[in-house]
Amino acid sequence: MSKTILIVDDSASIRQVVGIALRGAGYQTIEACDGKDALSKMTGDKINLIISDVNMPNMDGITFLKEVKKHPRYKFTPVIMLTTEAGKDKMMEGKAAGAKAWVVKPFKPPQMLDAVAKLVLP
């Protein structure tokens, strides 16, 4: 059974690019347009990894990450932040919230797949 990755980004084109790369590597994907939408799609089914943007409407990525870590079913699910934010302060905020990796846009799909392969839960 393939592993499931939740992609959270307000940009449909980024979700599409990340989704194509992940599905091409054999992963199943779930897409959400912001943190609030993502939480509504976390219904108890196993999610092996989350890739989330930081700057999104309704619920930003850091707030979303904090909410994920409160959820008993998903608190150990690794989260990769995929963002245009390259500042140290924001990265430290993400790390403190529980982010396992920080990938700055624009990214190359092999770079993303390397991070995914290292972090995805069995």
Side-chain angles (χ1 to χ4, degrees):
M1 191 165 130
S2 67
K3 296 173 181 175
T4 302
I5 299 176
L6 174 62
I7 304 165
V8 189
D9 199 305
D10 59 329
S11 166
S13 60
I14 292 292
R15 288 195 310 270
Q16 185 177 22
V17 169
V18 173
I20 288 170
L22 292 172
R23 288 188 294 275
Y27 297 105
Q28 289 185 324
T29 61
I30 301 169
E31 296 184 13
C33 64
D34 60 41
K36 192 172 178 182
D37 185 31
L39 288 175
S40 76
K41 293 181 177 180
M42 298 173 78
T43 57
D45 292 337
K46 180 146 184 141
I47 294 175
N48 301 85
L49 181 82
I50 298 169
I51 298 173
S52 178
D53 190 8
V54 170
N55 298 313
M56 298 179 286
N58 301 317
M59 181 184 288
D60 67 85
I62 300 293
T63 304
F64 166 65
L65 179 54
K66 290 176 181 173
E67 290 299 314
V68 168
K69 295 303 174 189
K70 289 180 194 171
H71 197 291
R73 177 78 169 112
Y74 300 110
K75 67 182 177 182
F76 297 115
T77 303
V79 178
I80 297 173
M81 304 308 288
L82 177 63
T83 178
T84 56
E85 292 281 350
K88 272 273 193 229
D89 290 347
K90 204 58 149 175
M91 285 185 194
M92 294 308 292
E93 187 181 353
K95 187 174 180 178
K100 292 292 184 194
W102 195 274
V103 178
V104 178
K105 298 175 192 172
F107 69 101
K108 294 183 174 142
Q111 174 192 17
M112 172 60 65
L113 291 174
D114 281 350
V116 167
K118 288 176 186 166
L119 295 172
V120 70
L121 290 177

